[in-house]
Amino acid sequence: MEEVQPIIWDGTTLYLLDQRLLPGKETYLPCRSAHDVAESIKNMVVRGAPAIGIAAAFGMVLAARNLLSSMTDQQDSSALPPYFLEKLREAAILLKETRPTAVNLAWAVGRIMEKAEKLGAETPDKVQKELEAEAKKLYAEDIEINKRIGRWGAELIQDGSTVLTHCNAGALATAGYGTALGVIRSAFFQGKKIRVFADETRPFLQGSRLTVWELKKEKIPVTLIVDSAAGYYMSKKRIHCVVVGADRVAANGDTANKIGTYSLAVLAKENNIPFYVAVPFSTFDFSIDSGSDIIVEERDSGEVTHLNNALLTVPGISVGNPAFDITPASLISAFITEYGVLHAPNRKKIEEFFSQKKSITLEK
Ligand code: MRU
């Protein structure tokens, strides 16, 4: 199996597989500062909720490294100077502000910052090393979590079925293996004969450029369709379930994911097709009551009006380009998490599920 590695940390530099150039070119963009990482997240060099969180965590490590190397020999390096934490807090804000919808970004940066605040009395060198260790832990945990999601989710995928997915919730959107594509990978490698229908996912084309590329690499049968064909295939009984990822799940189960996800959930309900959301616990945001409180990122109109610099429409046309939409919990058949599968989710069931599951060891 050829592994896709969207994020590589070599101890001094963060290399991000430039997803804007896929599938044509496999090029890694080096990031040497928190600013480089912030720009890469904003510009979609790296994308996908867990992946931007992990990239940002390493962005914090780069900020600490650069602060350490800017300290002069005269400065006392036996204790953390007050400005060190202040500068790290600034880097955290810079990174968190890059994209508003995926909660994993703030979650991962928060985890690194919390570590730094706790180490406030240590030497700058020790703080830098500990932050690097924490970012590496986050990276390794993400792959492990995705494999667990995959194993739970594979049980829901029938042998011989066709699975529809939207956007890219694969290895490219995580540290590796993927959430929705992790479920598909697990089912396929268990020997189930499955086919994937991948929505092209206008306007950024994560489906046609990224999902198809990832699945082809592993010889998982995949058919590319335009977004608007999903209903047709569902009505013809050619799709047996839908599996997507998530960017933020509110306390009541309402789920933000790539624009077009909500339409698919409505279509799935109408056609009696299960609609699954594969999602790590870190994507649940219990501070958000319901989907209407989730901030939906509005992206540049050029993503809609242009393709490879060619104008596709009338010059100056007014454009709406929300990057995400909200699927109400009532349309979700189940959440597939690293702790197991939660069917027919609602606020109470989500609360109970995680309070029980998180107190026991992971089963898969
Ligand atoms: O705008 P993107 O490409 O970052 O959007 C990504 C998605 O919507 C994914 O489905 C989501 O982040 C889950 S990734 C495991």
Side-chain angles (χ1 to χ4, degrees), residues 44 47-50 99 167-169 173 179 206 246-247 257-258 324:
M44 307 283 275
R47 32 70 46 206
R99 295 194 73 191
C167 192
N168 172 270
T179 56
Q206 287 93 334
D247 285 83
N257 191 49
K258 182 51 56 194
F324 302 96

Side-chain angles (χ1 to χ4, degrees), residues 60 94 113 122 144 149 157 167 240 277 339 341 358:
M60 292 294 291
L94 174 80
M113 200 58 230
E122 300 289 349
E144 192 45 42
I149 290 174
I157 310 291
C167 192
H240 304 103
V277 177
Y339 295 99
V341 177
K358 288 198 80 219

Side-chain angles (χ1 to χ4, degrees), residues 19 41 44 46-52 99 101-102 104 142 146 165-174 178-181 201 204 206 209-210 244-248 256-259 261 278-280 283 297 299 303 323-325:
Q19 300 193 27
I41 295 173
M44 307 283 275
V46 61
R47 32 70 46 206
I52 60 177
R99 295 194 73 191
T101 304
N104 308 61
D142 187 62
N146 294 338
T165 192
H166 190 65
C167 192
N168 172 270
L172 287 168
T174 59
T179 56
L181 293 196
T201 318
F204 205 73
Q206 287 93 334
R209 295 189 307 102
L210 309 177
V244 295
D247 285 83
R248 193 184 292 246
N257 191 49
K258 182 51 56 194
I259 190 74
T261 303
V279 58
T283 305
E297 176 184 9
R299 290 192 63 86
E303 289 182 355
F324 302 96
D325 59 23

Side-chain angles (χ1 to χ4, degrees), residues 303-323:
E303 289 182 355
V304 178
T305 55
H306 288 71
L307 189 64
N308 295 336
N309 293 326
L311 182 66
L312 302 172
T313 181
V314 175
I317 190 76
S318 157
V319 169
N321 187 19

Side-chain angles (χ1 to χ4, degrees), residues 35-317:
H35 179 265
D36 287 353
V37 177
E39 286 304 301
S40 297
I41 295 173
K42 252 192 243 164
N43 299 331
M44 307 283 275
V45 171
V46 61
R47 32 70 46 206
I52 60 177
I54 291 156
F58 283 108
M60 292 294 291
V61 177
L62 286 166
R65 273 186 70 82
N66 292 341
L67 277 167
L68 186 63
S69 62
S70 70
M71 287 174 68
T72 59
D73 288 345
Q74 285 81 27
Q75 281 171 314
D76 179 12
S77 60
S78 61
L80 204 65
Y83 74 85
F84 200 99
L85 277 182
E86 207 37 63
K87 291 277 174 207
L88 277 186
R89 287 186 202 112
E90 283 172 20
I93 292 169
L94 174 80
L95 288 159
K96 283 198 275 189
E97 279 178 350
T98 51
R99 295 194 73 191
T101 304
V103 69
N104 308 61
L105 181 58
W107 173 82
V109 170
R111 200 164 126 174
I112 300 289
M113 200 58 230
E114 197 183 321
K115 184 102 198 169
E117 303 276 0
K118 272 193 195 139
L119 293 165
E122 300 289 349
T123 63
D125 185 50
K126 166 120 188 203
V127 172
Q128 193 272 126
K129 285 199 174 89
E130 293 276 330
L131 297 194
E132 180 178 0
E134 189 68 11
K136 284 162 114 177
K137 196 166 153 211
L138 245 152
Y139 178 99
E141 276 173 12
D142 187 62
I143 298 179
E144 192 45 42
I145 284 169
N146 294 338
K147 290 191 169 161
R148 287 176 196 273
I149 290 174
R151 289 194 285 271
W152 283 111
E155 289 176 18
L156 302 170
I157 310 291
Q158 308 284 322
D159 196 9
S161 66
T162 296
V163 182
L164 175 71
T165 192
H166 190 65
C167 192
N168 172 270
L172 287 168
T174 59
Y177 204 73
T179 56
L181 293 196
V183 170
I184 287 164
R185 277 196 168 91
S186 282
F188 181 77
F189 289 114
Q190 281 174 9
K192 289 185 179 165
K193 299 222 169 340
I194 56 168
R195 169 161 291 276
V196 179
F197 271 31
D199 276 348
E200 65 174 352
T201 318
R202 278 279 290 157
F204 205 73
L205 303 177
Q206 287 93 334
S208 55
R209 295 189 307 102
L210 309 177
T211 295
V212 163
W213 178 77
E214 238 191 270
L215 294 175
K216 274 261 169 201
K217 258 185 184 300
E218 289 174 12
K219 303 196 170 33
I220 300 176
V222 55
T223 300
L224 176 66
I225 62 170
V226 297
D227 300 334
S228 45
Y232 168 78
Y233 284 112
M234 286 188 196
S235 71
K236 295 283 174 199
K237 312 263 178 271
R238 299 268 306 273
I239 289 167
H240 304 103
C241 70
V242 181
V243 187
V244 295
D247 285 83
R248 193 184 292 246
V249 183
N252 72 343
D254 293 351
T255 295
N257 191 49
K258 182 51 56 194
I259 190 74
T261 303
Y262 170 49
S263 325
L264 289 180
V266 173
L267 284 168
K269 182 105 177 169
E270 169 71 13
N271 289 280
N272 275 317
I273 294 166
F275 183 89
Y276 300 124
V277 177
V279 58
F281 176 67
S282 57
T283 305
F284 283 78
D285 182 353
F286 293 97
S287 74
I288 297 261
D289 189 59
S290 76
S292 53
D293 300 327
I294 298 177
I295 297 171
V296 170
E297 176 184 9
E298 180 77 25
R299 290 192 63 86
D300 194 84
S301 61
E303 289 182 355
V304 178
T305 55
H306 288 71
L307 189 64
N308 295 336
N309 293 326
L311 182 66
L312 302 172
T313 181
V314 175
I317 190 76

